[in-house]
Amino acid sequence: MIRPAELIERKRNGEVLGDAELAELILGYARGEVPDYQLAAFCMAVYFRGLNAAETYALTDAMIRSGTTLDLSAALGRKVVDKHSTGGVGDKTSIAVGPIVAACGVPVGKMSGRGLGHTGGTLDKLEAIPGFDVNLTTERFVEQIREIGLAIVGQTEDLVPADKQLYGLRDVTATVDIVSLIASSIMSKKIAGGADAIVLDVKVGDGAFMKTLEDARVLADAMLELGRRAGREVVCLLTDMDQPLGAAVGNALEIVEARDTVRGEGPPDFTELVLDACARMLAFSDLGIDVEEGRRRAEAAVADGSALGVYERWIRAQGGDPDPAALPRAPVVREVPAATDGYVTRLGAIDVGHAALHLGAGRRAKGDEIDFAVGVVCRVKRGAQVAAGEVLAEVHARSDDDAERGAAEVLAAYDVGDDPPREQPLLLDVVA
Ligand code: URA
């Protein structure tokens, strides 16, 4: 017997709900017996009242039980290591990390998501590659990981269906940025997908869901606790999202940058984050090595071309053309010059994310078509010294009008001042 109205009221009043009650609500929602409007009201009650650790675990467990699970470890006969980012601007990390880790002999089978609001999604980026298919059957997914060491696919219909429904609902009811709901959404997918060990990249800053380091720590702790309860190893990297990651923001542009990084020619900040994530995944794997050795092997796989080899085999295996020349290109490329001399004191991630979204790189509404070719390339980042007239960024647009509007938005994302800004590291903290 489902009593959603009663459960919403009790959560609204700040009561703690039991495991069975949360399961009843979530499983009822997944079966279509609880309507969207009641789940939306419940999420808003959670926004104001929160969920404690036991409730968050019960919610996660119910989401997992809403569908089937995958025992990738048993299928591959290996310990399975996964990574996930909480979402940011220019975050193409998985596309570079996957081939490098696989080239080091550790299989990677990853289920990724689509863009949400101003943040991009790995699946959308991969679909910029002509022919690339993100919908593999479970059998093909496992077979490809065995053959090539890497597969990145979309969430299957039957894996955590409750999250799929809830995610779409949260996106349009101002209930995305809630620690317990983000933690359960991410960890339910990772646990159901069969990961034994998980490297989580928790983004912090104006382009992330968590705006402050304190909030990011709370989210990291919630995910660590879920991992502990589910018997999975978890490490959280807290990384800066006050400015976009790397230079490229936009689907095809980000594929080029991820490929460049896999062959050792990526931007320094993105390369650093990718190699760090690889090192930690390798240290979690069954290779029996530590983070330093993981880093050394990741660097070697980039330097000797083996990571690029895996990248090309992977893209081909999923039907895509790995040649960057095959990617769509925007017809108009407009340079954005600096108005004054000085130092870049701010490059707003959310502003650049919005500029890319308005150019057509993301969806304003569920189901919108994406323009894979458009986006922004930030040629200079925070801390750089620039002269008036020097190019700050490029806008890749579908039309002159779009380019004009995009260039104004990107220029507004940059602050140029007389003094250099305080240095802010990309890696802010590691919690395990
Ligand atoms: N990523 C997810 O998978 N879920 C969220 O709720 C937020 C980011």
Side-chain angles (χ1 to χ4, degrees):
M1 233 275 282
I2 303 172
R3 305 148 290 158
E6 183 194 321
L7 300 183
I8 296 163
E9 186 181 351
R10 286 177 42 214
K11 182 42 75 185
R12 185 204 63 188
N13 294 343
E15 282 183 40
V16 172
L17 302 182
D19 296 2
E21 291 172 324
L22 284 159
E24 183 180 293
L25 191 65
I26 293 301
L27 295 175
Y29 179 58
R31 286 194 300 265
E33 293 163 9
V34 176
D36 272 353
Y37 56 81
Q38 284 189 306
L39 241 288
F42 176 74
C43 289
M44 195 54 86
V46 171
Y47 182 89
F48 288 107
R49 294 298 194 169
L51 295 179
N52 68 21
E55 288 177 303
T56 307
Y57 184 69
L59 180 73
T60 309
D61 187 53
M63 306 233 288
I64 295 168
R65 284 195 284 125
S66 72
T68 56
T69 56
L70 188 59
D71 192 350
L72 208 48
S73 260
L76 298 172
R78 296 279 304 264
K79 182 177 177 187
V80 171
V81 185
D82 201 350
K83 83 153 271 293
H84 199 88
S85 157
T86 57
V89 178
D91 189 355
K92 68 290 287 176
T93 311
S94 298
I95 301 167
V97 162
I100 299 173
V101 170
C104 294
V106 171
V108 179
K110 198 172 149 40
M111 296 199 193
S112 287
R114 299 199 176 274
L116 187 64
H118 66 278
T119 67
T122 300
L123 291 187
D124 297 327
K125 293 169 202 195
L126 287 171
E127 281 181 344
I129 301 171
F132 194 94
D133 184 3
V134 299
N135 298 310
L136 303 186
T137 60
T138 304
E139 293 69 40
R140 182 63 208 136
F141 176 64
V142 172
E143 205 177 301
Q144 186 178 308
I145 302 168
R146 268 204 211 102
E147 282 167 8
I148 290 158
L150 173 61
I152 300 185
V153 294
Q155 206 177 325
T156 58
E157 278 305 317
D158 47 0
L159 195 109
V160 204
D163 177 62
K164 213 172 185 176
Q165 283 168 257
L166 203 51
Y167 203 80
L169 184 72
R170 288 167 54 211
D171 194 22
V172 291
T173 54
T175 51
V176 171
D177 50 346
I178 304 172
V179 165
S180 53
L181 299 189
I182 297 177
S184 54
S185 165
I186 291 177
M187 292 301 287
S188 62
K189 284 177 287 207
K190 298 293 104 181
I191 295 167
D196 299 305
I198 307 148
V199 176
L200 294 168
D201 183 1
V202 182
K203 298 289 183 202
V204 190
D206 96 327
F209 295 124
M210 298 294 114
K211 306 292 180 203
T212 66
L213 199 51
E214 292 66 43
D215 287 349
R217 285 212 174 93
V218 174
L219 176 58
D221 285 342
M223 293 195 287
L224 285 171
E225 176 62 17
L226 289 176
R228 198 188 56 72
R229 285 176 189 250
R232 316 291 162 121
E233 294 169 79
V234 180
V235 63
C236 295
L237 313 178
L238 275 52
T239 67
D240 175 38
M241 190 31 72
D242 267 340
Q243 64 175 345
L245 183 59
V249 180
N251 301 284
L253 296 168
E254 291 189 49
I255 293 290
V256 173
E257 187 163 285
R259 180 181 173 278
D260 283 348
T261 305
V262 165
R263 58 193 194 102
E265 298 193 359
D269 63 337
F270 180 57
T271 300
E272 181 53 35
L273 180 72
V274 165
L275 292 173
D276 197 23
C278 290
R280 287 172 200 279
M281 285 176 75
L282 293 171
F284 257 166
S285 75
D286 52 13
L287 293 182
I289 58 175
D290 61 13
V291 176
E292 286 69 38
E293 177 62 12
R295 172 78 183 219
R296 210 191 52 70
R297 292 197 193 182
E299 284 173 1
V302 169
D304 68 15
S306 54
L308 183 63
V310 173
Y311 173 85
E312 290 175 348
R313 287 196 291 283
W314 160 49
I315 301 296
R316 274 198 208 97
Q318 286 188 236
D321 184 342
D323 184 349
L327 289 165
R329 281 169 202 243
V332 182
V333 179
R334 177 80 43 97
E335 291 182 338
V336 182
T340 55
D341 295 347
Y343 292 91
V344 175
T345 54
R346 183 190 74 97
L347 169 55
I350 197 157
D351 297 338
V352 176
H354 280 145
L357 182 69
H358 300 154
L359 287 163
R363 296 179 189 81
R364 291 170 200 246
K366 234 171 147 183
D368 274 1
E369 289 266 314
I370 282 187
D371 187 338
F372 294 121
V374 302
V376 179
V377 179
C378 300
R379 292 250 206 103
V380 299
K381 307 271 307 267
R382 192 179 55 222
Q385 191 171 11
V386 293
E390 190 178 327
V391 176
L392 296 173
E394 282 165 17
V395 169
H396 293 238
R398 191 50 55 194
S399 69
D400 284 328
D401 281 356
D402 283 359
E404 189 87 2
R405 252 194 318 272
E409 282 189 82
V410 170
L411 186 60
Y414 280 92
D415 284 348
V416 177
D418 292 337
D419 300 314
R422 194 173 46 85
E423 254 188 56
Q424 188 172 333
L426 179 61
L427 181 62
L428 302 168
D429 203 359
V430 179
V431 277

